[in-house]
C-alpha cells in the first residue's frame, strides 16, 4: 500500500509528539508530586518537632492522660492523628481511630510513609524520642487530600490535553508537509506531461535554493540528455532512410527495365528462372521503398520539422475521396465498400494531405485483412456533437491481447502475413501520429473472426 509522504509526515509528527508529550507530562507530574511531598514532609517535621518539645516539657508534670487532653486544645499541633507508644511496649496515646488507617510500623525509625484510608491518604512520620529517660515512638500525620486533589486535577488535564495536542500536531504535520511538497507536485505534473513529442519542454525551476530547486535542475539536465539522444536516433533514421532510398530505386529500375522485354513462349527453364528472380527482386524492392517512405514519414513527424497546417476541411469529402481511391483495390478482392454519412458536411480542423494518408492506411488495412467477398463500411457521424469516423470490416479481426499494441511501431500480429501483404507494422503507428497532430483519438475494437472497427474521434 502506498501512503503519500504528506500523510506519513503527519503520522510521524503525531508519533514524535506523542512520545514527547508522554515523557514531558510524566516528568512534570513526577516533579510536581515530589515538590508537594517534600513541602508536606517539611511541614510535618516542624509540627512533630513542636509536639515533641511540648511533650518533653510537660510529660513529667501531667502524665499521659492529662497531657493528651492539653494537646487537643492546641490546634497548632493538629493532633487528630497522634500515636505514641513506648518503644517495643504499650500504646500510651492513640488518636488515630477517626482515620481508619493501619497503625504505623515503628520497626525502623525515623520513617515517613503514606497510609491509605477509605477515600483518603495520610502522610505519617514516625520518630523515636526519649522523654524522662524512656524511649517513645511518636507518629504524627497530615491528610494528603489537598495535594492529592491537586495531583488528580493535574493528571486529568494532562490526559485531556493529549488528544488535543496530537490533533494539532497531526494537522500541523499535514499542513507543513503540503507546503513543503507543493513544488514537488508541480514537478511531478510537469514531468508527467513530457513525452517523446514534447522533449523540448522543461520543468519550471523554483527559485528556492534548496533540494527542490536542485531536483528540478537535475531533471531538466536529464531531459536535455534524453532529447539529445532522441535527436541523434532520429537523425540516424532519417540519414539511413535517405541513403537507402537511392540504391533501392536503382535496383527497382534495373529490375523493371529487365522485365520490360516480353517473355518468349519458347523461353528456356533457365530464362524463366531469371524472370522469376527479377520479379522477386522487384517485389522486395517495392516493399523496401514503402518501408523507407514510412520510416522517413515517422522521422519527419518525430523531428517536428514540418508543422501541420490545420485548416477547416470537410471530413466527409476527404474520407469519400479516399474510399474512391481504394475502390479498385477493394473490387479486385470482391469486397463491398460502402460509404455512409449522417450529415452532408462535417467540418474539422485538419491537414488535407495527412488526413488522406490516415484514411488510406485504415482502408488499406481493412482491404488487406478482410478475406475475398467480405465488406467494408465507412461511416461519418457526430454522436455527442464530436465528428467521428468509423472504418469497419468483416475481416479476420484482432485478438484482445494484440489490440493494445497494434499502434506500436513495427508491431505485427502475423509477421508472415503482414510481410506478404507488404506491411512492416508502421501503418497504424503513422496513423496514430497523424491523429495526434489533429488532437484526435484513434481506437480499435474487434471480434476475432468477425471483423474490426477503427474509430477516429475529432475534438
Ligand atoms: P501493417 O503495415 O503490417 O499492416 P499496421 O501498423 O498497419 O501494420 O498494422 C499492425 C497490425 O495490426 C497488422 O500486422 C495486422 O495484424 C493488424 N491489423 C491492422 N488493421 C487490421 C484490420 N483491419 N483487421 C485485422 N488486423 C488488422
Amino acid at each position: 500500500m502506498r501512503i503519500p509522504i504528506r500523510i506519513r509526515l503527519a503520522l510521524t509528527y503525531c508519533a514524535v509528539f506523542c512520545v514527547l508529550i508522554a515523557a514531558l507530562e510524566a516528568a512534570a507530574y513526577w516533579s510536581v508530586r515530589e515538590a508537594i511531598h517534600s513541602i508536606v514532609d517539611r511541614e510535618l517535621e516542624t509540627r512533630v518537632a513542636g509536639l515533641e518539645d511540648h511533650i518533653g516539657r510537660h510529660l513529667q508534670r501531667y502524665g499521659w492522660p492529662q497531657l493528651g487532653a492539653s494537646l487537643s486544645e492546641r490546634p497548632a499541633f493538629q493532633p487528630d492523628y497522634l500515636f505514641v507508644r513506648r518503644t517495643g511496649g504499650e500504646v500510651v496515646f492513640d488518636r488515630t481511630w477517626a482515620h481508619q488507617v493501619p497503625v504505623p510500623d515503628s520497626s525502623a525509625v525515623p520513617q515517613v510513609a503514606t497510609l491509605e484510608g477509605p477515600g483518603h491518604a495520610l502522610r505519617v512520620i514516625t520518630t523515636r524520642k526519649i522523654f524522662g529517660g524512656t524511649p517513645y515512638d511518636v507518629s504524627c500525620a497530615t491528610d494528603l487530600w489537598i495535594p492529592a486533589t491537586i495531583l488528580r486535577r493535574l493528571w486529568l488535564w494532562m490526559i485531556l490535553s493529549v488528544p488535543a495536542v496530537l490533533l494539532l500536531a497531526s494537522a500541523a504535520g499535514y499542513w507543513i508537509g503540503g507546503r513543503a511538497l507543493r513544488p514537488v507536485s508541480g514537478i511531478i505534473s510537469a514531468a508527467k506531461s513530457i513525452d517523446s513529442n514534447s522533449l523540448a519542454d522543461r520543468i519550471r525551476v523554483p527559485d528556492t535554493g534548496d533540494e527542490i530547486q536542485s531536483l528540478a535542475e537535475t531533471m531538466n539536465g536529464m531531459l536535455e540528455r534524453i532529447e539529445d539522444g532522441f535527436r541523434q536516433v532520429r537523425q540516424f533514421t532519417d540519414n539511413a532512410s535517405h541513403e537507402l532510398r537511392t540504391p533501392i530505386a536503382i535496383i527497382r529500375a534495373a529490375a523493371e527495365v529487365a522485365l520490360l522485354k516480353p517473355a518468349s513462349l519458347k523461353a528456356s527453364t533457365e530464362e524463366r528462372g531469371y524472370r522469376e528472380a527479377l520479379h522477386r527482386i522487384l517485389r522486395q524492392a517495392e516493399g523496401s521503398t514503402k518501408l523507407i517512405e514510412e520510416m522517413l514519414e515517422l522521422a519527419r513527424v518525430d523531428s517536428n520539422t514540418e508543422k501541420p497546417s490545420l485548416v477547416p476541411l470537410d471530413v466527409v469529402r476527404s474520407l469519400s475521396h479516399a474510399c474512391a481511391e481504394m475502390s479498385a483495390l477493394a473490387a479486385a478482392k470482391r469486397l463491398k465498400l460502402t460509404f455512409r454519412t449522417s450529415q452532408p458536411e462535417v467540418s474539422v480542423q485538419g491537414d488535407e494531405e495527412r488526413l488522406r494518408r490516415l484514411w488510406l492506411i485504415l482502408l488499406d488495412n481493412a482491404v488487406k485483412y478482410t478475406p475475398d467477398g467480405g465488406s467494408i463500411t465507412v461511416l461519418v457521424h457526430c454522436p455527442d456533437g464530436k465528428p467521428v469516423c468509423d472504418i469497419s470490416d468483416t475481416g479476420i479481426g484482432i485478438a484482445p491481447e494484440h489490440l493494445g499494441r497494434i499502434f506500436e511501431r513495427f508491431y505485427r500480429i502475423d509477421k508472415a502475413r503482414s510481410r506478404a501483404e507488404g506491411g512492416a507494422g508502421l501503418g497504424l503507428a503513422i496513423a496514430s501520429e497523424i491523429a495526434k497532430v489533429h488532437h484526435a483519438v484513434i481506437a480499435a475494437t474487434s471480434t476475432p473472426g468477425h471483423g474490426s472497427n477503427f474509430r477516429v474521434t475529432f475534438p
Side-chain angles (χ1 to χ4, degrees):
M1 192 179 62
R2 280 190 351 185
I3 306 173
I5 292 185
R6 205 174 169 185
I7 305 273
R8 269 191 280 160
L9 259 174
L11 288 178
T12 313
Y13 253 73
C14 191
V16 170
F17 262 80
C18 200
V19 173
L20 275 178
I21 289 282
L24 277 176
E25 290 199 344
Y29 182 81
W30 182 83
S31 68
V32 168
R33 204 190 66 160
E34 287 308 298
I36 288 177
H37 278 179
S38 104
I39 292 168
V40 166
D41 288 353
R42 242 180 293 133
E43 194 258 345
L44 202 55
E45 275 162 17
T46 316
R47 200 189 302 163
V48 168
L51 249 171
E52 284 171 354
D53 179 57
H54 185 81
I55 295 169
R57 275 192 283 119
H58 298 100
L59 182 62
Q60 290 290 64
R61 200 172 343 145
Y62 300 112
W64 273 111
Q66 235 179 314
L67 187 61
S70 81
L71 282 175
S72 307
E73 285 155 16
R74 290 175 169 263
F77 296 145
Q78 293 188 359
D80 58 338
Y81 184 100
L82 182 60
F83 184 83
V84 186
R85 75 165 129 209
R86 271 198 195 90
T87 303
E90 89 274 23
V91 175
V92 292
F93 191 84
D94 183 359
R95 273 288 188 83
T96 65
W97 52 270
H99 297 279
Q100 299 175 31
V101 295
V103 171
D105 170 27
S106 58
S107 53
V109 281
Q111 181 205 86
V112 185
T114 303
L115 300 178
E116 305 276 343
H120 72 140
L122 291 183
R123 190 78 172 156
V124 183
I125 189 160
T126 305
T127 51
R128 184 157 297 165
K129 200 78 192 167
I130 300 187
F131 299 122
T134 313
Y136 289 90
D137 294 336
V138 181
S139 297
C140 185
T142 187
D143 204 318
L144 284 177
W145 77 269
I146 293 175
T149 308
I150 293 172
L151 286 175
R152 219 179 13 256
R153 287 261 167 93
L154 182 66
W155 181 241
L156 194 73
W157 272 107
M158 283 176 168
I159 293 287
L160 288 180
S161 68
V162 169
V165 170
L166 288 188
L167 209 73
L168 273 176
S170 312
Y174 192 72
W175 182 73
I176 292 171
R179 264 182 74 92
L181 291 171
R182 201 173 300 148
V184 178
S185 310
I187 292 175
I188 291 173
S189 53
K192 270 187 184 162
S193 68
I194 296 174
D195 60 13
S196 58
N197 292 315
S198 55
L199 277 176
D201 292 358
R202 291 290 176 269
I203 290 162
R204 201 182 61 77
V205 179
D207 189 18
T208 47
D210 56 11
E211 289 87 345
I212 307 281
Q213 181 176 352
S214 141
L215 173 70
E217 283 166 354
T218 310
M219 287 190 75
N220 279 345
M222 188 181 72
L223 281 172
E224 193 100 39
R225 291 192 294 279
I226 293 175
E227 191 191 6
D228 210 43
F230 259 72
R231 204 180 299 123
Q232 283 175 19
V233 171
R234 282 169 187 159
Q235 193 62 46
F236 173 78
T237 317
D238 199 21
N239 292 347
S241 307
H242 272 295
E243 291 303 320
L244 283 169
R245 215 185 202 175
T246 320
I248 287 176
I250 294 169
I251 293 170
R252 242 178 106 176
E256 276 167 355
V257 169
L259 284 169
L260 276 180
K261 191 179 156 217
S264 84
L265 286 173
K266 285 184 259 161
S268 65
T269 326
E270 198 178 354
E271 197 181 328
R272 277 205 297 276
Y274 285 142
R275 285 190 76 81
E276 185 45 42
L278 280 172
H279 273 296
R280 273 209 301 276
I281 289 171
L282 192 58
R283 272 202 305 276
Q284 290 300 325
E286 279 167 359
S288 302
T289 309
K290 184 171 174 252
L291 172 62
I292 289 167
E293 293 302 334
E294 288 180 340
M295 283 171 65
L296 274 171
E297 200 170 341
L298 277 173
R300 269 199 300 276
V301 175
D302 288 344
S303 63
N304 252 336
T305 43
E306 289 173 25
K307 291 272 173 230
S309 54
L310 300 186
V311 290
L313 62 84
D314 178 15
V315 80
V316 172
R317 199 176 58 88
S318 160
L319 196 43
S320 65
H321 280 188
C323 285
E325 272 187 67
M326 290 301 291
S327 59
L329 263 184
K333 278 185 84 178
R334 290 188 298 108
L335 299 175
K336 187 170 167 238
L337 176 58
T338 317
F339 177 80
R340 286 195 280 126
T341 176
S342 66
Q343 275 149 268
E345 198 183 311
V346 175
S347 179
V348 299
Q349 288 291 320
D351 179 311
E352 178 98 53
E353 191 42 44
R354 290 188 199 215
L355 273 188
R356 176 179 162 270
R357 182 85 179 97
L358 169 61
W359 307 136
L360 290 182
I361 290 170
L362 296 180
L363 287 167
D364 185 50
N365 277 348
V367 171
K368 275 194 302 195
Y369 300 107
T370 305
D372 290 14
S375 61
I376 299 168
T377 309
V378 178
L379 171 65
V380 182
H381 55 138
C382 296
D384 311 326
K386 285 184 181 174
V388 172
C389 302
D390 279 313
I391 293 159
S392 325
D393 60 56
T394 56
I396 57 172
I398 302 162
E401 66 269 26
H402 296 296
L403 260 185
R405 302 198 58 193
I406 52 174
F407 293 99
E408 289 175 14
R409 294 179 184 190
F410 291 106
Y411 191 80
R412 289 166 294 179
I413 298 169
D414 180 347
K415 287 200 174 60
R417 186 180 179 137
S418 284
R419 204 176 293 123
E421 299 280 3
L426 287 179
L428 288 181
I430 294 173
S432 142
E433 293 297 339
I434 295 175
K436 218 181 274 172
V437 298
H438 285 84
H439 311 292
V441 178
I442 181 165
T445 49
S446 181
T447 313
H450 288 89
S452 313
N453 172 269
F454 285 82
R455 168 169 286 198
V456 180
T457 308
F458 288 91

